[in-house]
Amino acid sequence: MHDLRSAVAAGHLNINHGTPNITEQLNRLKHPDYETLVQKAARKVIRTTKKYRKKWVEKKNKSRRETPAGRRFSRTMISSASNVELVDGSDTEDSKILKWNLPLKELFRMACSFYKEKSGKAIHLSYEDNLKLVAFTQQAAHGPLDLANSPPLGMFDVIGKDRRIAWQHLGTITKLQAMEGFIDLLDRLCPLFKPYVEAIKKDREEKLRQAQLEEARRREQMESEKEQMAEQKRIEDEKNREELQRRQLQDALNQQTYHQFKEYAEKQFPGNPEQQAILIRQLQTEHYHQYMQQLQAQVASNYSHQMRTASDAQEELNGTDQQQQVGQQTDLVVSAKESSQLEYKEQCESDDESGEYAVISPANMWTKPDIKLFKQEVTSGKGDGVIRVGHGDTVTVRVPTHEGGSCLFWEFATDSYDIGFGVYFEWGKPPTTEVSVHISESDEDDDTLEDDDSVACVDDLECGGQQGQQQQHKQYSSGASSSLANRNPISIIVPIYRRECQTEVYAGSHAYPGEGTYLLKFDNSYSLWRSKTLYYKVFYTR
């Protein structure tokens, strides 16, 4: 020890505080007590450092309290605390506390994120301001500072001690008050913070609006899909119902005409059940389509007749009182019903005392594609089925009913050009059972009830218009009214209408309505220059 003191006194060993080379000096002296000396020197350095550190902190705190910045910090803390007390004074839940129309905690998280991202980049704060902001975050996260439970700080941790001092100055304000203080301080220090929050709010509102629009659009789409599905289901149900009704109607018609078509098919294809079944199905299909066309035409005619009757009645009822209008409308409805019931009988041209004759049922007509085979069959016979119909002429084939028959069938075709065709029925016992053919330029010479101009209708038979049929009907009606005294009544089964029989075979059948003679008329009166070659067959079934 004496040697050590001597070394110190001699200046070989320096033990002043803060000297970093004591160990090296001792090692250099190679003294046996150098470790004890080092410990004493270290303790002296620590005591000196603590002393100077304590004085420096006290001086700094005193200067901070006396500066304008320190006074502003105190006022900010007081005002922030008072504002937060107003918000937090209610008993509502923390999630319902709002600031700037946003939840306080959410706004605090946005402020912390902004401070973390922009500090040192878009914003530059002083050391004191950063200490205040950090203190607010510590208070908001952990509450008031508890020195007893706080971990010890390092000897040289000056920044940590400053943060604890700033945290301790916040006192006992609540976490929500600390959050609001942080937000207010950051807003005052950084003018960009509030626009940043407003931009986030607008972005969220826009996203919320888009989500609501998308949800409304999705609901509308779902409702539209439901409506489409319901409409589609309704249409399918309607189609199924119509298809069921169609099948029921077709089955009923097929049952009525099966035996009739079967007899005809057996004559056409004897000993060939497959071809007979095919022909029966074709005939039944054609019969169903013709029946539906006739039914639609009849419904349309009745509707138009009723509409005309109603319009005429409305005109007649103008100027009368309500009681007279009701009575006249009732009479008109009754007369319309009676006229609709007698409409078909009027078309049959039966006289007032023709109750002994049955009502004519509609004929069945169809077409066959094998026109060449049909012409060969007709030509290979005796030749009675081939007739040359001159231009302007009308050929009437008279076919009496047979005692053993129940239905008449006919088939016909022409070469190159069409021809008019119709079927009438003359009531009364036929004078002969032979089929006869009459050719004339006028139907009057052929024991019909038409005038010379009847075949040249107003619309021209080339057009096949409805007015032509109506004109023929009127002419037959006028002829019938002038000749009923001396002639048998004649009923129209099929009106004369141009048929495209040069491309396919036209065929038809009609059940005997009673005793009489069928008049099959082939009309070429509309053609001024062309003659037609007619191929036809007529026969009956039992």
Side-chain angles (χ1 to χ4, degrees):
M1 181 64 65
H2 178 75
D3 295 336
L4 180 61
R5 293 176 180 175
S6 299
V8 171
H12 299 290
L13 179 63
N14 187 10
I15 58 173
N16 293 329
H17 63 275
T19 303
N21 297 323
I22 296 177
T23 303
E24 294 180 359
Q25 295 180 28
L26 291 174
N27 290 333
R28 186 168 59 249
L29 295 175
K30 303 295 184 181
H31 194 277
D33 297 331
Y34 75 93
E35 293 182 358
T36 304
L37 184 61
V38 168
Q39 292 177 359
K40 291 182 179 180
R43 285 195 293 270
K44 185 177 180 180
V45 170
I46 291 172
R47 286 195 299 270
T48 305
T49 303
K50 286 183 178 181
K51 180 179 179 181
Y52 281 98
R53 173 64 182 169
K54 185 176 180 180
K55 293 181 178 179
W56 178 79
V57 169
E58 291 178 354
K59 183 178 180 180
K60 186 176 182 181
N61 292 336
K62 183 178 179 181
S63 63
R64 181 183 298 166
R65 287 192 295 269
E66 293 175 353
T67 58
R71 291 193 294 271
R72 286 198 304 270
F73 175 77
S74 300
R75 288 197 300 270
T76 302
M77 293 304 302
I78 294 172
S79 61
S80 300
S82 60
N83 291 336
V84 174
E85 286 175 1
L86 292 176
V87 177
D88 196 44
S90 60
D91 296 330
T92 59
E93 298 178 358
D94 296 346
S95 59
K96 296 182 180 180
I97 299 176
L98 300 178
K99 185 176 180 63
W100 297 355
N101 294 327
L102 287 174
L104 181 59
K105 290 186 177 181
E106 183 178 357
L107 183 60
F108 176 71
R109 284 192 294 268
M110 292 170 57
C112 292
S113 176
F114 177 81
Y115 174 70
K116 183 177 180 181
E117 293 177 1
K118 306 298 181 180
S119 180
K121 299 176 183 179
I123 56 176
H124 300 278
L125 304 177
S126 63
Y127 179 76
E128 291 78 7
D129 293 334
N130 284 324
L131 286 178
K132 296 174 186 178
L133 292 174
V134 172
F136 276 123
T137 57
Q138 294 294 328
Q139 188 83 1
H142 306 288
L145 176 62
D146 187 3
L147 295 175
N149 297 326
S150 298
L153 296 176
M155 181 183 303
F156 300 101
D157 190 2
V158 179
I159 297 177
K161 292 183 178 181
D162 291 342
R163 288 180 177 178
R164 283 198 176 180
I165 292 172
W167 186 4
Q168 189 174 9
H169 285 169
L170 295 179
T172 58
I173 64 174
T174 62
K175 293 182 178 181
L176 297 178
Q177 291 173 339
M179 292 180 186
E180 189 167 4
F182 180 86
I183 295 169
D184 292 338
L185 181 59
L186 184 62
D187 180 36
R188 192 182 76 249
L189 296 176
C190 182
L192 298 177
F193 174 61
K194 195 163 187 178
Y196 169 80
V197 175
E198 294 295 333
I200 293 179
K201 285 173 58 178
K202 290 182 179 180
D203 183 65
R204 290 185 179 181
E205 291 174 357
E206 181 66 20
K207 289 182 179 179
L208 180 61
R209 188 180 67 83
Q210 292 293 338
Q212 292 175 352
L213 291 176
E214 186 68 22
E215 182 67 19
R217 192 180 300 110
R218 187 180 64 83
R219 286 197 299 267
E220 291 179 358
Q221 185 177 2
M222 291 179 62
E223 292 177 358
S224 178
E225 290 178 356
K226 288 181 180 180
E227 292 177 357
Q228 291 179 359
M229 292 177 63
E231 182 67 16
Q232 186 176 2
K233 184 178 180 182
R234 186 188 65 79
I235 293 174
E236 290 179 357
D237 294 342
E238 185 69 18
K239 288 182 179 179
N240 294 334
R241 186 179 62 82
E242 292 179 356
E243 181 66 18
L244 180 60
Q245 293 179 355
R246 185 192 67 79
R247 289 181 180 179
Q248 292 177 352
L249 179 60
Q250 191 171 7
D251 292 341
L253 293 175
N254 293 342
Q255 291 178 1
Q256 294 178 1
T257 59
Y258 175 75
H259 297 288
Q260 180 180 348
F261 290 154
K262 184 178 180 182
E263 292 179 359
Y264 174 75
E266 289 176 350
K267 289 188 177 182
Q268 295 294 320
F269 302 100
N272 192 346
E274 295 181 358
Q275 292 294 332
Q276 292 177 10
I278 294 174
L279 181 58
I280 290 173
R281 285 196 297 271
Q282 291 178 353
L283 296 177
Q284 289 176 343
T285 303
E286 290 288 339
H287 176 256
Y288 169 75
H289 290 313
Q290 291 180 2
Y291 176 82
M292 294 302 296
Q293 290 176 359
Q294 293 177 0
L295 184 62
Q296 292 176 359
Q298 185 177 2
V299 171
S301 177
N302 292 338
Y303 178 75
S304 61
H305 179 70
Q306 292 179 0
M307 292 298 293
R308 288 194 301 270
T309 304
S311 62
D312 295 341
Q314 185 66 28
E315 292 178 359
E316 292 178 359
L317 290 174
N318 289 336
T320 61
D321 58 1
Q322 184 176 3
Q323 184 176 3
Q324 292 177 351
Q325 290 180 359
V326 173
Q328 290 180 1
Q329 287 179 354
T330 305
D331 296 339
L332 286 171
V333 170
V334 173
S335 63
K337 291 182 178 179
E338 293 177 354
S339 62
S340 62
Q341 294 175 357
L342 298 175
E343 181 180 358
Y344 188 79
K345 294 183 180 180
E346 291 176 356
Q347 292 180 357
C348 295
E349 297 299 328
S350 59
D351 58 0
D352 296 336
E353 298 179 358
S354 61
E356 54 184 343
Y357 303 109
V359 177
I360 297 295
S361 61
N364 300 320
M365 294 191 66
W366 60 91
T367 58
K368 296 167 53 178
D370 50 352
I371 186 170
K372 293 183 179 179
L373 179 61
F374 172 74
K375 291 180 179 179
Q376 291 176 2
E377 292 178 356
V378 174
T379 307
S380 62
K382 297 181 180 180
D384 296 339
V386 182
I387 301 175
R388 185 71 175 177
V389 184
H391 56 84
D393 293 345
T394 299
V395 174
T396 303
V397 180
R398 300 177 61 87
V399 184
T401 57
H402 196 274
E403 294 181 358
S406 62
C407 184
L408 177 69
F409 283 85
W410 61 83
E411 296 177 351
F412 66 92
T414 57
D415 287 337
S416 303
Y417 304 105
D418 59 1
I419 196 170
F421 174 74
V423 181
Y424 299 176
F425 187 78
E426 182 179 0
W427 297 89
K429 186 174 182 180
T432 179
T433 59
E434 297 294 331
V435 178
S436 58
V437 179
H438 299 268
I439 302 176
S440 64
E441 296 182 357
S442 172
D443 289 343
E444 185 178 357
D445 298 335
D446 219 10
D447 291 337
T448 64
L449 300 179
E450 296 177 291
D451 296 333
D452 292 339
D453 299 333
S454 62
V455 293
C457 60
V458 176
D459 286 347
D460 185 6
L461 196 58
E462 297 279 352
C463 303
Q466 185 177 2
Q467 295 181 1
Q469 296 182 11
Q470 294 177 356
Q471 181 70 15
Q472 289 180 0
H473 175 65
K474 292 179 181 178
Q475 290 168 350
Y476 278 105
S477 301
S478 61
S481 63
S482 61
S483 304
L484 280 175
N486 300 324
R487 301 176 186 272
N488 292 328
I490 295 179
S491 300
I492 302 175
I493 300 175
V494 179
I496 296 178
Y497 196 90
R498 289 183 64 176
R499 318 287 175 174
E500 299 291 336
C501 53
Q502 76 275 16
T503 59
E504 53 187 354
V505 180
Y506 273 73
S509 65
H510 187 261
Y512 285 178
E515 192 175 16
T517 304
Y518 282 95
L519 307 179
L520 277 64
K521 290 189 172 291
F522 299 94
D523 188 4
N524 195 34
S525 60
Y526 58 87
S527 182
L528 301 178
W529 308 105
R530 294 191 181 97
S531 298
K532 313 291 175 60
T533 301
L534 174 66
Y535 303 84
Y536 76 94
K537 285 172 58 176
V538 291
F539 54 91
Y540 68 90
T541 58
R542 299 183 181 276

